[in-house]
Amino acid sequence: MKSLYRITILVVAYIIASPAQSATAPWQKLAYISNSFYEVALGSEYGRGDYRVRKWIKPIKIYVQHNVGDKTLQDELVNAHIQHLSNITHLKISRVQSLKQANLKLFFTDQKHLSSLTTKYSGKAVAKLNTTSTCIANINLNNNAQVNNAQIYIPVDFAYRKGKLVACIVEELTQILGLPRDSEKVFPSIFNDKSTDDLLTGLDETLIRVLYDPRVKAGMRKRALSPVIKQVIRKLDKTGLIASANMRVKESKLHTMLGY
C-alpha cells in the first residue's frame, strides 16, 4: 500500500460579497494568473508542503453528514457548487449514500463536536490545528501527489453567527481540489482572506481550469510546471475563456440561487 501524504487546510472564512469585474481586470494578465497559481497550488497553509501539484485523478464521491442545521439548504448549496466544479474540472463528482462509499466526507457539525469528529476521521494532528473560528479541510495524497481522499468539517453554529455558511462550503470544496493555500497576493479570490468574495471569481475559475488541464500533472514541481502553465494559460486566453470568466461564474447555479 502506498503511503499517504497529508495536507491540512484551515480556512478562516472572512468573506462577504464581490464587486463587478471589468473585462480588462488586472487579474486577467497572463503573468498574474501564473503567479496566482503558484501561490495557491504549491505549498500549504503552514509551510509543510513539498511544493508539488496535487489533484484528483479519480471520480470524487461525496458523502454529506448533517449533524446540525437545515439539511435541505445545506444540500442545495453543496449540490449547486459541486455541479459548478464538475463543469469546470470535467471530473465526475457525485453524492453517495454512505461513508464507506465516499472518498470525500463532508460534515456539517458544531464547535462542540468539531474536535472529536476531526480526530475520528482525520486524526489527532488535524484536530490539534482546530480553532474556534475556522472551517477545516484535510486531503490525503498517494506518493504521486494524487488525492486519495479528503474530509471537510463545517461548524454550522460558527458559520451562521458570522454569516459564512456559503463561504465555507464554496472555499473548502474548491480547495480540496488541489488549491490548498490562501494568499493575499491573489485577488479577487476566495483564496484571499481579505478578499470580498464568497463565491468563485473569474480568477478562481481560471485557476481551477489551469489545475485540471491534462498537461498539468500531479506531482509536478515549479521548474517542470512553468513552461506547461504558460502554454495552458495562453490557450485559455486564445479561446476567450479568460476574458469571459467573470461573466461565466455569475451564471452559476449558486449565483442564481443567492441572487448575486
Side-chain angles (χ1 to χ4, degrees):
M1 180 182 295
K2 292 182 177 178
S3 63
L4 295 179
Y5 181 84
R6 169 168 288 168
I7 296 178
T8 301
I9 315 158
L10 282 124
V11 181
V12 182
Y14 294 117
I15 310 169
I16 308 173
S18 175
Q21 300 286 324
S22 69
T24 55
W27 75 259
Q28 292 174 323
K29 296 179 179 179
L30 305 193
Y32 193 96
I33 295 170
S34 61
N35 289 335
S36 296
F37 185 83
Y38 297 139
E39 281 291 311
V40 301
L42 304 182
S44 69
E45 280 292 84
Y46 298 93
R48 294 194 299 272
D50 61 356
Y51 309 103
R52 297 184 294 169
V53 170
R54 291 142 287 184
K55 62 191 293 186
W56 292 80
I57 303 300
K58 57 188 177 183
I60 302 176
K61 300 177 182 179
I62 304 176
Y63 178 77
V64 181
Q65 182 168 306
H66 304 274
N67 296 339
V68 178
D70 186 331
K71 178 182 183 296
T72 300
L73 174 62
Q74 292 164 4
D75 277 338
E76 288 178 352
L77 294 171
V78 169
N79 290 341
H81 192 54
I82 63 177
Q83 177 185 321
H84 193 191
L85 294 177
S86 182
N87 291 340
I88 299 169
T89 62
H90 302 295
L91 282 170
K92 184 178 180 180
I93 306 176
S94 60
R95 297 274 299 269
V96 295
Q97 299 303 309
S98 72
L99 281 168
K100 290 183 178 180
Q101 295 174 300
N103 54 20
L104 171 57
K105 301 176 178 68
L106 195 167
F107 301 94
F108 288 98
T109 184
D110 54 23
Q111 288 289 345
K112 180 179 179 181
H113 297 98
L114 188 59
S115 180
S116 59
L117 194 64
T118 308
T119 299
K120 181 176 180 179
Y121 291 102
S122 298
K124 292 181 180 179
V126 177
K128 286 180 180 178
L129 293 173
N130 174 44
T131 72
T132 59
S133 59
T134 60
C135 301
I136 302 172
N138 179 64
I139 60 177
N140 297 310
L141 310 178
N142 64 21
N143 290 337
N144 296 318
Q146 299 168 351
V147 182
N148 265 347
N149 57 74
Q151 306 86 40
I152 294 173
Y153 307 89
I154 297 177
V156 176
D157 48 351
F158 162 76
Y160 276 137
R161 285 198 307 271
K162 301 296 183 180
K164 304 303 177 187
L165 180 65
V166 173
C168 274
I169 291 171
V170 170
E171 188 169 0
E172 302 294 354
L173 280 170
T174 305
Q175 289 200 302
I176 60 91
L177 291 177
L179 300 168
R181 185 171 183 263
D182 287 335
S183 173
E184 293 179 14
K185 297 178 181 179
V186 180
F187 181 87
S189 173
I190 62 169
F191 306 122
N192 184 331
D193 287 338
K194 293 188 177 180
S195 180
T196 56
D197 301 279
D198 52 355
L199 300 183
L200 293 185
T201 68
L203 175 57
D204 295 329
E205 191 215 60
T206 301
L207 296 177
I208 298 168
R209 287 187 184 278
V210 171
L211 177 61
Y212 279 89
D213 186 284
R215 288 168 288 186
V216 176
K217 307 294 185 182
M220 275 186 166
R221 300 181 190 273
K222 188 173 182 179
R223 185 172 180 178
L225 184 63
S226 181
V228 175
I229 291 295
K230 290 178 182 178
Q231 294 173 14
V232 172
I233 296 174
R234 284 172 182 157
K235 182 177 180 181
L236 292 175
D237 186 42
K238 186 176 181 179
T239 56
L241 286 171
I242 293 175
S244 60
N246 286 333
M247 177 182 67
R248 198 163 44 252
V249 293
K250 291 176 182 176
E251 295 173 347
S252 71
K253 189 173 181 179
L254 264 185
H255 271 85
T256 302
M257 286 173 55
L258 300 172
Y260 281 31

